[in-house]
Amino acid sequence: MSQHTADPQHTADQPHTAATAPAAATHRDWWRDAVIYQVYPRSFADSNADGMGDLEGVRSRLPYLRELGVDAVWLSPFYASPQADAGYDVADYRAVDPMFGTLLDADAVIRDAHDLGLRIIVDLVPNHSSDRHEWFRRALAQGPGSPLRERYHFRPGKGADGEQPPNDWESIFGGPAWTRVTEPDGAPGEWYLHLFAPEQPDLNWDHPAVHDEFRSILRFWLDMGVDGFRVDVAHGLVKADGLPDLGAHDQLRLLGNDTVPFFDQDGVHEIYRAWRRILDEYAERSPEGASPRGRRLSTGAKVFVAEAWTPTVERTANYVRPDELHQAFNFQYLSAYWDAADLREIIDRSLDAMRPVGAPATWVLSNHDVTRHTTRYANPPGLGTQLRTPGDPALGLRRARAATLLMLALPGSAYLYQGEELGLPDVVDLPDEVRQDPSFFRAAGQDGFRDGCRVPIPWAVDGPSHGFGEGGSWLPQPSGWGELSVQAQTGVPGSTLELYRAALAARRAHPALGAGDAVEWLQGPRGTLVYRRTPPGRSGGQGFVCTANTTATPVRVPAHGRLMLSSSTDRITVYEDGTALLPGDTTAWWTTD
């Protein structure tokens, strides 16, 4: 039988410059098929040589993100903060922490992003504030009975002298979820609730002042021009009446599997209905337009995305009903291993759950809280999302590239975490003395190894921090980091960066990709995923098929048209009988006329 081979990036390999990069989508429902790139500001780019990334650094790299082909940029917190939890302990929601710059720098980032056709989403942290927030400081100073204490969860302790916590809740970061304060007269006093670090007291969303404050915060940043908000701990704002005991120890293992009295309470949904009305108001008065520089100006619809850890995707769907939030992270998908049967089940359940509420499914493989998927896939299954071992790096990268193509072909919106387009592994061998994750220093909580995915990313082959900044980096970069840099991979056929660029360009160009709510599963060998997508509203025309082999062994599959793109650097053999030999741990994209 005669045969020929196909270059895995034959149709998509081309120089990728600002002139050829696709502009952001301008339709009002842009978020339904958006690719959103998470920037962790302290680890992205440093403009002032202090070893810490900042907003001016982000601004300087926005052209790179446009060339990459993403639609929006999500910025992790840059607000004024003591940095007890890397900025997720906010002292002032309307100010920029000096380590990141000023409000003028934030304004410049938003304006430049819009001129480049990129939208900006900022983090919102409504479950808790910093213990340095003015409300909390005054609540401590004013003592028991202070009206400001009602804006948090202050309670007297149990026991004869109030020496025991008010209930048995445990902190996500380990230990009790309560800390006892010393009152102004020096005596041991009340306890306050903190589901995370003691420096992060939980706000009381039963108090109207809390509602008023956050509606004002939303308007402040919307007036600055942001395009949306990622809502941190969106499932945690409302607590069960009376703060009842949970009656269980090792409560961390229950999260995401069971309903607990401090997460996923039905009362959160009324909060988000009120917020949605605010965003819709701003969307109505912000039509699409063109920037003075002649590129697309990202205005129009404003969006919310929820970080909502829930027991099921069906519970997650409650957060994205038509009058609530727009999107919710799909943590069930993120937590899945590289296994065809498991992935298909999660894909089907995700699409089925979102379809009745009219929301797009979202797909994500990595973020700032979990071990990078390049390293997760390098290890055996069942180890969770925070790993301490490197595994087989070559296998992990091969699977990660295949998982990326599988994800980007699914209907809905996709989230990328900075550096994944470089194939960065997690840095699992950081010395204990350099770690800064607060959960690392508390017993029985999360594993505390989030620092490994937060190491500053490499931009250049050489230099004191591989182009991150002239003053080194706040977490040490490993040896060989420069070989994975943007500079090292740009223009190199088969590099992970060029694979991402090609995939995002193809995703933007192909009429069957992007928004949608279903896939058509096709037959394939055991261990494979094969699905077809067709352009919306059309049964014929230019179609698309994604074929993923999650096994280590090459398999013979139908060649569904012309090969667009492959995750493998190996050449794919296409036979004259219409079949192809798909290498192990590889995803291929096919297009049909």
Side-chain angles (χ1 to χ4, degrees):
M1 180 181 293
S2 62
Q3 63 188 55
H4 66 279
T5 58
D7 188 332
Q9 292 184 211
H10 173 70
T11 61
D13 252 345
Q14 57 180 323
H16 205 91
T17 66
T20 61
T26 58
H27 53 283
R28 294 190 64 82
D29 286 345
W30 61 270
W31 43 276
R32 289 188 173 275
D33 63 358
V35 176
I36 300 171
Y37 185 100
Q38 181 188 358
V39 165
Y40 194 68
R42 59 170 50 206
S43 299
F44 194 62
D46 172 22
S47 71
N48 60 3
D50 66 355
M52 187 69 66
D54 47 48
L55 290 176
E56 182 57 32
V58 173
R59 183 187 179 198
S60 70
R61 298 296 186 177
L62 288 174
Y64 163 80
L65 297 179
R66 182 178 186 273
E67 293 166 16
L68 182 62
V70 301
D71 299 296
V73 179
W74 153 34
L75 298 172
S76 291
F78 51 79
Y79 308 114
S81 166
Q83 303 295 318
D85 184 23
Y88 283 94
D89 50 317
V90 181
D92 188 341
Y93 291 86
R94 298 177 183 83
V96 173
D97 194 283
M99 76 161 56
F100 297 123
T102 67
L103 276 175
L104 289 176
D105 294 321
D107 179 73
V109 169
I110 296 166
R111 290 176 180 273
D112 280 13
H114 286 177
D115 283 350
L116 290 167
L118 297 169
R119 292 176 166 89
I120 293 292
I121 295 171
V122 297
D123 239 306
L124 186 69
V125 189
N127 178 71
H128 47 263
S129 75
S130 166
D131 62 350
R132 306 287 183 86
H133 192 285
E134 183 64 19
W135 281 5
F136 194 78
R137 296 174 65 180
R138 288 168 56 197
L140 291 180
Q142 292 175 10
S146 162
L148 281 170
R149 289 204 176 187
E150 296 175 5
R151 301 181 185 185
Y152 295 89
H153 294 278
F154 279 88
R155 296 290 188 276
K158 294 181 178 178
D161 299 313
E163 71 279 7
Q164 298 175 11
N167 67 21
D168 65 356
W169 294 359
E170 297 172 0
S171 165
I172 308 304
F173 287 169
W178 296 89
T179 290
R180 197 175 192 185
V181 305
T182 300
E183 301 297 359
D185 62 2
E190 294 182 315
W191 298 71
Y192 68 89
L193 176 67
H194 54 87
L195 291 179
F196 295 89
E199 296 88 353
Q200 296 168 291
D202 278 46
L203 290 157
N204 177 15
W205 278 88
D206 290 332
H207 199 290
V210 177
H211 291 259
D212 291 342
E213 173 68 355
F214 275 87
R215 285 193 292 264
S216 174
I217 292 167
L218 289 175
R219 291 184 181 279
F220 178 87
W221 288 103
L222 289 166
D223 288 340
M224 286 276 290
V226 303
D227 300 286
F229 301 88
R230 177 263 191 185
V231 184
D232 185 61
V233 195
H235 54 299
L237 278 57
V238 172
K239 280 67 175 177
D241 290 343
L243 309 185
D245 283 341
L246 184 53
H249 295 289
D250 192 18
Q251 295 171 12
L252 184 63
R253 66 180 175 81
L254 301 178
L255 303 183
N257 300 302
D258 296 276
T259 299
V260 293
F262 46 80
F263 279 164
D264 195 27
Q265 298 294 303
D266 289 339
V268 299
H269 299 292
E270 190 53 45
I271 297 170
Y272 298 137
R273 292 186 185 100
W275 288 8
R276 178 61 178 265
R277 291 191 288 271
I278 294 174
L279 254 65
D280 287 348
E281 169 195 333
Y282 275 80
E284 287 301 319
R285 65 190 193 190
S286 300
E288 298 285 356
S291 76
R293 301 183 191 180
R295 296 197 174 97
R296 300 292 186 184
L297 177 63
S298 298
T299 53
K302 312 294 182 180
V303 302
F304 285 118
V305 57
E307 183 207 29
W309 288 88
T310 66
T312 65
V313 289
E314 291 77 15
R315 290 289 298 180
T316 301
N318 291 337
Y319 290 78
V320 291
R321 288 175 285 200
D323 59 345
E324 295 190 41
L325 308 181
H326 298 77
Q327 295 182 344
F329 290 133
N330 191 339
F331 291 117
Q332 285 81 8
Y333 187 78
L334 180 149
S335 302
Y337 195 67
W338 182 238
D339 175 83
D342 289 348
L343 287 166
R344 176 166 175 171
E345 178 184 1
I346 292 170
I347 291 168
D348 282 341
R349 288 188 60 192
S350 300
L351 293 170
D352 290 346
M354 296 300 141
R355 197 176 297 116
V357 295
T362 65
W363 315 102
V364 60
L365 294 169
S366 288
N367 64 31
H368 65 291
D369 282 332
V370 300
T371 298
R372 290 182 179 274
H373 62 282
T374 304
T375 298
R376 297 203 314 274
Y377 292 152
N379 281 274
L383 300 181
T385 58
Q386 288 190 2
L387 279 62
R388 310 180 190 185
T389 54
D392 181 341
L395 176 63
L397 178 59
R398 185 178 182 91
R399 288 174 170 175
R401 288 164 58 102
T404 294
L405 285 198
L406 175 67
M407 175 185 77
L408 289 176
L410 290 169
S413 181
Y415 283 78
L416 309 179
Y417 177 52
Q418 65 176 42
E420 73 170 77
E421 76 276 14
L422 305 176
L424 296 185
D426 223 66
V427 183
V428 297
D429 57 353
L430 288 171
D432 289 356
E433 59 269 20
V434 306
R435 292 189 178 275
Q436 300 190 31
D437 184 347
S439 60
F440 180 77
F441 303 100
R442 293 170 63 85
Q446 289 182 331
D447 289 341
F449 289 89
R450 297 180 297 174
D451 291 316
C453 67
R454 301 175 178 183
V455 173
I457 67 174
W459 295 92
V461 175
D462 300 309
S465 61
H466 298 292
F468 169 70
E470 294 299 319
S473 62
W474 67 281
L475 285 172
Q477 298 165 310
S479 61
W481 215 230
E483 298 170 8
L484 300 174
S485 66
V486 173
Q487 180 185 30
Q489 296 194 45
T490 295
V492 178
S495 72
T496 302
L497 175 58
E498 293 301 335
L499 175 67
Y500 269 74
R501 286 173 167 167
L504 292 175
R507 187 181 194 273
R508 185 73 61 89
H510 201 289
L513 294 179
D517 63 5
V519 298
E520 177 190 354
W521 292 107
L522 305 177
Q523 289 293 327
R526 185 179 181 86
T528 66
L529 292 167
V530 185
Y531 63 85
R532 174 184 287 123
R533 296 194 60 194
T534 54
R538 287 181 282 170
S539 58
Q542 189 178 10
F544 171 91
V545 172
C546 178
T547 306
N549 179 8
T550 68
T551 74
T553 305
V555 295
R556 196 81 167 256
V557 297
H560 295 273
R562 175 175 56 84
L563 180 66
M564 294 174 60
L565 197 60
S566 167
S567 65
S568 176
T569 55
D570 299 331
R571 296 173 71 86
I572 291 182
T573 302
V574 180
Y575 299 92
E576 288 187 351
D577 66 352
T579 64
L581 190 65
L582 188 65
D585 296 310
T586 295
T587 298
W589 287 4
W590 310 85
T591 184
T592 59
D593 296 327

